[in-house]
Amino acid sequence: MRAAVMPGVEEIEIIEVPTLEVGEDEVLVRVKAVGICTWEQKFYAGQYGGFPFIGGHEISGIVEKVGSKVSQELAIGDKVVVASLTRCGECYYCRRGYDNQCENAIDVEKVPGYSGPAGFAEYFVAKGYEVYKISDEIDFAVGTLAEPLACVNHSIDMGKLEIGDYTLILGGGVMGLLHIFLAKEKGATVIVSEPDSARRQNALKLGADHGIDPISENIVESINEITLGRGVDVVFFTAGGEKAIEDGINCLNIRGRLVIYGSTKPSDLITLDPKIFHYNEITITGVTKHTKETFRKAAEIISNNRLPFESLISEKYPFEEIKKAFERSKDMSTYRVIVEL
């Protein structure tokens, strides 16, 4: 089968790799669309190492073969999305329901000799529990959003967002917009902080109630004006570094919660006065990956086809033009760039 391999920084080529074997508890998925995530972009740019590398973990496709010991009802031709994360199901954290923190999770080499999830290929072998059916009416490109949506579901759950809450979302990229979609579904008043004017205006168009430019405006003063001086109940950090995190903390109300969703650099260090925990009873937490349950919910939300997910798909490229797709994904004018097979 063909796979798109990164042999080095800003290099990507399509090569022939061995045909995948399918175990009794596994499903062979014919890949139809894969999203280019920031994580893959960082490999492409050389911010991460581990070459040769095969990226691709936001996967949508069609069932090609079902192992004899796969429990769920899957049939050849079913449209599916894939949660490509190993979970043992037996460790302390899996048994507590924190399967995103599985103690025995390992990066399996899907293609021998190559690191990475290997979704940028014609076929993908997944464990039965990693495969979720979606509606036949859903475009494959939209299906690729199930994986990031599952991660955002986890973030919303950790933030304990409730109807009537005020929430501040730091960043108006793909992850910020997905937070906006789900926060509005929860019945919250949504404020987005985004320095890029076009992205800020798009966030307002797609559901945010208020938009703040953190460069030209004092974000704390703006939040206090919107919330009558109380601050927000929940802050979701999706981008912006240490300054955004510090602003988010200063925007919390009594018993407010900050969820650190987005990645940070080693230099993104903050200093906190412990009195804000003592007197304001705030909570700062974080999230990583997704759980089986948040992925199940993502597949259901995608299948319901009620939210404007199509607005997040900026451009689509055939598999043969994957290098061009990666170059375009670096442009701030794009949200998700999709590779189609």
Side-chain angles (χ1 to χ4, degrees), residues 123-139:
Y123 294 94
F124 187 89
V125 173
K127 295 293 185 183
Y129 66 79
E130 296 176 319
V131 178
Y132 295 76
K133 285 196 287 189
I134 58 171
S135 168
D136 287 336
E137 306 302 315
I138 303 302
D139 184 77

Side-chain angles (χ1 to χ4, degrees), residues 27 29 56-61 72 80-87 99-100 106 110 117 124-134 143-151 289-299:
V27 178
V29 176
H57 66 282
E58 299 178 354
I59 304 164
S60 177
Q72 67 171 309
V80 295
V81 291
V82 179
S84 56
L85 282 177
T86 304
R87 288 77 174 357
D99 56 276
N100 62 310
I106 55 174
K110 293 287 186 178
F124 187 89
V125 173
K127 295 293 185 183
Y129 66 79
E130 296 176 319
V131 178
Y132 295 76
K133 285 196 287 189
I134 58 171
T144 67
L145 294 172
E147 195 277 342
L149 181 64
C151 296
K289 306 172 187 173
H290 46 69
T291 67
K292 291 179 179 178
E293 170 60 5
T294 64
F295 210 106
R296 183 200 65 78
K297 289 194 290 186

Side-chain angles (χ1 to χ4, degrees), residues 242 246 265-271:
E242 62 181 276
E246 289 172 347
K265 302 187 297 293
S267 59
D268 289 328
L269 303 178
I270 59 175
T271 301

Side-chain angles (χ1 to χ4, degrees), residues 56-300:
H57 66 282
E58 299 178 354
I59 304 164
S60 177
I62 295 173
V63 172
E64 192 85 359
K65 182 179 180 181
V66 182
S68 60
K69 293 186 178 179
V70 173
S71 298
Q72 67 171 309
E73 293 184 7
L74 286 175
I76 294 172
D78 282 346
K79 186 175 285 191
V80 295
V81 291
V82 179
S84 56
L85 282 177
T86 304
R87 288 77 174 357
C88 74
E90 298 180 15
C91 73
Y92 176 79
Y93 294 111
C94 278
R95 291 187 177 193
R96 292 202 65 176
Y98 311 157
D99 56 276
N100 62 310
Q101 297 283 7
C102 176
E103 293 177 302
N104 299 312
I106 55 174
D107 292 326
V108 178
E109 284 191 355
K110 293 287 186 178
V111 178
Y114 297 89
S115 65
F120 290 130
E122 291 179 305
Y123 294 94
F124 187 89
V125 173
K127 295 293 185 183
Y129 66 79
E130 296 176 319
V131 178
Y132 295 76
K133 285 196 287 189
I134 58 171
S135 168
D136 287 336
E137 306 302 315
I138 303 302
D139 184 77
F140 287 111
V142 170
T144 67
L145 294 172
E147 195 277 342
L149 181 64
C151 296
V152 174
N153 271 328
H154 182 32
S155 180
I156 295 290
D157 287 349
M158 290 291 281
K160 298 179 172 59
L161 192 65
E162 298 181 0
I163 189 169
D165 281 351
Y166 279 78
T167 182
L168 168 62
I169 296 169
L170 301 166
V174 172
M175 298 307 173
L177 291 173
L178 288 174
H179 275 84
I180 290 171
F181 292 172
L182 296 189
K184 292 302 294 183
E185 288 290 290
K186 284 282 190 177
T189 297
V190 177
I191 307 156
V192 63
S193 172
E194 168 56 55
D196 184 83
S197 176
R199 288 195 166 198
R200 189 169 61 253
Q201 291 305 313
N202 196 44
L204 290 166
K205 177 183 174 182
L206 291 174
D209 299 287
H210 304 274
I212 298 172
D213 179 357
I215 305 300
S216 64
E217 299 178 66
N218 183 306
I219 188 169
V220 177
E221 290 179 359
S222 298
I223 290 296
N224 283 334
E225 183 177 344
I226 294 168
T227 63
L228 303 178
R230 289 189 297 269
V232 297
D233 302 282
V234 190
V235 174
F236 295 100
F237 166 82
T238 73
E242 62 181 276
K243 179 62 166 61
I245 294 173
E246 289 172 347
D247 285 341
I249 293 169
N250 291 326
C251 289
L252 289 173
N253 65 10
I254 300 297
R255 295 196 179 186
R257 301 168 297 283
L258 168 66
V259 180
I260 298 178
Y261 175 91
S263 61
T264 56
K265 302 187 297 293
S267 59
D268 289 328
L269 303 178
I270 59 175
T271 301
L272 295 174
D273 182 345
K275 288 195 293 292
I276 65 171
F277 297 96
H278 177 57
Y279 290 110
N280 292 357
E281 300 183 348
I282 68 168
T283 299
I284 299 177
T285 187
V287 293
T288 185
K289 306 172 187 173
H290 46 69
T291 67
K292 291 179 179 178
E293 170 60 5
T294 64
F295 210 106
R296 183 200 65 78
K297 289 194 290 186
E300 291 289 341

